[in-house]
Amino acid sequence: NSKLPLVGMKEVEKHDSPTDAWIVVDHVAYDVTEFSKKHPGGRVILTWAGMDATEVFSVMHARSTYNILPAYAVGRVDDATYKVPAILSDFRDMHDAMRRDGLFQTSFAYYAYKNTTQLALLASSMALLFTSHGSYAKLFASACLLGLFWQQSGWLAHDYCHNQVHTNRRRNRIMGLLWGNV
């Protein structure tokens, strides 16, 4: 980054359209004009054209995503030309403290519990169904458990698809597809 030219935020702010889009992440300006066409999240990246997107970038992307940024770097933001608003500075400090405290670390025990309880709900529903022998009470209980299973599967798939469980995106996608389609 030290070899990149200095650019001011006033310059970055000029690049705020779909045909000329720069964003700032951690005091480095990136030209994302062409990348916006293939951005996995769609053209939402253009929402931040001409602005500092540090927070939204860090929240919405895996750490590995930072590895692709250098290919789009156009300059280092001259800190003398950009004063971080106090509320944003406070947010960054809070976010850093929460990360240091491990609050963004996944609890694999929790997700093992959630996966196990999901399977238990499905197994209980099926057991009631296959042993109902015409009992409306067992059929109703089976239907309720199956409904709860599907509802909770949606939330579990949501966590996986937002890459909150594993650092490996492929593993998250597979598990999200599994729980989202059972």
Side-chain angles (χ1 to χ4, degrees):
N1 285 344
S2 62
K3 294 180 183 179
L4 293 171
L6 283 177
V7 296
M9 273 307 288
K10 294 285 185 208
E11 177 64 25
V12 172
E13 290 167 1
K14 293 177 189 175
H15 303 273
D16 64 349
S17 72
T19 57
D20 182 20
W22 288 13
I23 62 169
V24 172
V25 176
D26 293 328
H27 302 279
V28 177
Y30 300 96
D31 183 345
V32 296
T33 309
E34 289 304 312
F35 180 72
S36 68
K37 297 170 187 168
K38 59 183 177 183
H39 181 246
R43 297 180 58 85
V44 70
I45 191 173
L46 297 173
T47 305
W48 295 94
M51 294 187 271
D52 186 340
T54 300
E55 279 66 40
V56 74
F57 186 89
S58 69
V59 169
M60 299 303 291
H61 298 88
R63 287 311 222 182
S64 60
T65 309
Y66 283 84
N67 298 333
I68 68 165
L69 287 177
Y72 302 97
V74 292
R76 288 179 296 126
V77 175
D78 181 6
D79 289 337
T81 67
Y82 177 54
K83 175 76 172 122
V84 177
I87 192 165
L88 196 50
S89 180
D90 290 346
F91 176 81
R92 288 176 179 176
D93 291 344
M94 179 185 69
H95 184 264
D96 290 344
M98 292 170 75
R99 189 173 294 283
R100 274 192 311 275
D101 291 345
L103 298 178
F104 295 112
Q105 295 299 316
T106 299
S107 168
F108 291 108
Y110 171 77
Y111 283 100
Y113 165 77
K114 286 302 291 178
N115 283 280
T116 303
T117 56
Q118 282 303 98
L119 293 173
L121 281 171
L122 181 60
S124 298
S125 174
M126 294 299 110
L128 284 170
L129 176 66
F130 292 122
T131 61
S132 66
H133 305 295
S135 165
Y136 288 117
K138 282 187 173 184
L139 287 174
F140 181 75
S142 173
C144 288
L145 287 174
L146 187 60
L148 183 60
F149 166 79
W150 281 332
Q151 183 265 341
Q152 289 297 307
S153 290
W155 285 114
L156 193 53
H158 172 267
D159 287 357
Y160 280 112
C161 288
H162 277 287
N163 300 299
Q164 293 178 327
V165 183
H166 302 289
T167 55
N168 180 309
R169 285 178 168 262
R170 186 169 186 267
R171 190 176 302 146
N172 278 319
R173 200 167 32 252
I174 291 168
M175 293 301 289
L177 286 170
L178 169 76
W179 287 117
N181 291 293
V182 279

